[in-house]
Amino acid sequence: MNAENNFAARLIDAGRLAAIARTCGLKADVSYYVNEALKELWRSRSPEEAKKIAERWVLWDAEGRPWPRMPPLENVVQFHRAGTAQVPVVNWPVTPLHAIRAWFEKQDDGVQCEIAGMAALLVFEGADFLDRSSRVWCDCLRRWLSEAGLPAHTIIGRALTFRTCFEYFAESRFTESGWRRSETTALKILEDAKCDPNSEAARLAPIAEKMLDTLPARKGRWMEVRKSWRELASASLTARSLRVWSTLQTK
């Protein structure tokens, strides 16, 4: 693995490390881990090479703090490609990302928030981002799926990233066994909370109770989501479908 791949891997891992740090009471955020990766990059490569790699993978906010560039967070200076016109949404051509956006908008509010929350964890990779509201999650996902002027390879990369992230999380919502595990976990939390009112389980008990109350309705909705998602994925998001779409862009 070359220097750039190593650096990119560290940026991808920054969100996970920041989330772990938060659970331990530390204040290290995503920007902190990106900065540590930059320090190592500058120590291991020449200044010219390090600068070129950093420019491809990092953006800086108004305070000069570095963040991953895939995609930028709310407070990060946006990257604009020279000569790229901002095309109104109604005039955009159909792309795999637009197909995902159209499918996303057909889901109810609760499902949209859950899907956007999945993206907040893995796609956006920002520990601070998780402190924001579900509406912010949804808005950020919409922008990420609808950004104008992206080259074909970036569109395909985002489509594959979303599919992998969504299916990773949604697998447990697509099966009966997954819902049984959720129910068992919630019941265990409530049982442990009764044994020790000062435990972590007691803190999670209200969440577990709410999850049990809403479980039947959520299960029904997610079984419908499973059906519509598989229809979309098999029609527009297979490797062959994406290759065909990419080829058509060059003609």
Side-chain angles (χ1 to χ4, degrees):
M1 184 178 288
N2 62 31
E4 183 160 0
N5 286 343
N6 273 318
F7 181 71
R10 291 192 64 176
L11 262 61
I12 291 172
D13 210 32
R16 182 182 65 84
L17 292 174
I20 293 173
R22 288 177 60 199
T23 65
C24 299
L26 303 177
K27 294 184 178 181
D29 60 8
V30 175
S31 179
Y32 169 83
Y33 290 102
V34 174
N35 193 50
E36 291 298 301
L38 284 168
K39 291 178 182 177
E40 178 60 30
L41 180 66
W42 248 264
R43 283 195 295 265
S44 61
R45 316 307 297 180
S46 68
E48 295 78 12
E49 184 181 2
K51 182 179 179 181
K52 288 180 180 178
I53 293 173
E55 287 177 345
R56 284 193 286 267
W57 288 94
V58 178
L59 288 175
W60 282 262
D61 63 21
E63 297 177 355
R65 304 176 71 211
W67 297 87
R69 191 174 140 182
M70 57 287 185
L73 301 178
E74 289 269 333
N75 62 335
V76 173
V77 178
Q78 295 286 334
F79 174 79
H80 297 286
R81 291 175 177 81
T84 297
Q86 297 298 314
V87 184
V89 174
V90 294
N91 293 328
W92 286 353
V94 175
T95 73
L97 291 181
H98 296 145
I100 295 172
R101 168 73 185 266
W103 169 83
F104 175 76
E105 296 298 350
K106 292 177 182 178
Q107 312 310 316
D108 67 32
D109 291 344
V111 171
Q112 285 186 3
C113 290
E114 289 191 58
I115 294 171
M118 298 171 189
L121 282 170
L122 286 189
V123 176
F124 304 141
E125 301 181 272
D128 291 341
F129 185 78
L130 299 181
D131 291 330
R132 305 181 188 183
S133 68
S134 56
R135 176 175 293 182
V136 173
W137 298 351
C138 290
D139 289 345
C140 193
L141 179 57
R142 288 186 178 98
R143 289 194 297 273
W144 189 73
L145 292 171
S146 305
E147 184 178 348
L150 296 176
H153 66 85
T154 300
I155 291 172
I156 291 174
R158 288 192 182 188
L160 290 172
T161 296
F162 181 87
R163 177 172 184 171
T164 301
C165 170
F166 175 70
E167 291 182 349
Y168 172 81
F169 280 108
E171 181 182 9
S172 62
R173 295 167 170 84
F174 285 172
T175 62
E176 292 286 347
S177 60
W179 288 103
R180 284 196 296 270
R181 286 195 298 272
S182 295
E183 183 178 24
T184 299
T185 299
L187 291 172
K188 181 66 165 57
I189 289 173
L190 295 178
E191 181 181 344
D192 292 346
K194 291 179 181 178
C195 297
D196 184 358
N198 297 316
S199 64
E200 178 70 10
R203 188 179 68 82
L204 296 174
I207 299 174
E209 288 179 352
K210 182 177 180 180
M211 186 172 71
L212 287 173
D213 291 341
T214 60
L215 191 147
R218 289 181 61 234
K219 175 182 174 182
R221 289 197 299 271
W222 274 96
M223 290 305 173
E224 290 298 317
V225 173
R226 177 183 67 177
K227 179 181 177 182
S228 64
W229 171 254
R230 289 180 175 173
E231 290 174 353
L232 170 66
S234 62
S236 304
L237 303 178
T238 63
R240 183 178 183 279
S241 298
L242 293 172
R243 281 196 297 270
V244 169
W245 178 83
S246 179
T247 299
L248 290 175
Q249 306 314 299
T250 62
K251 295 182 177 180

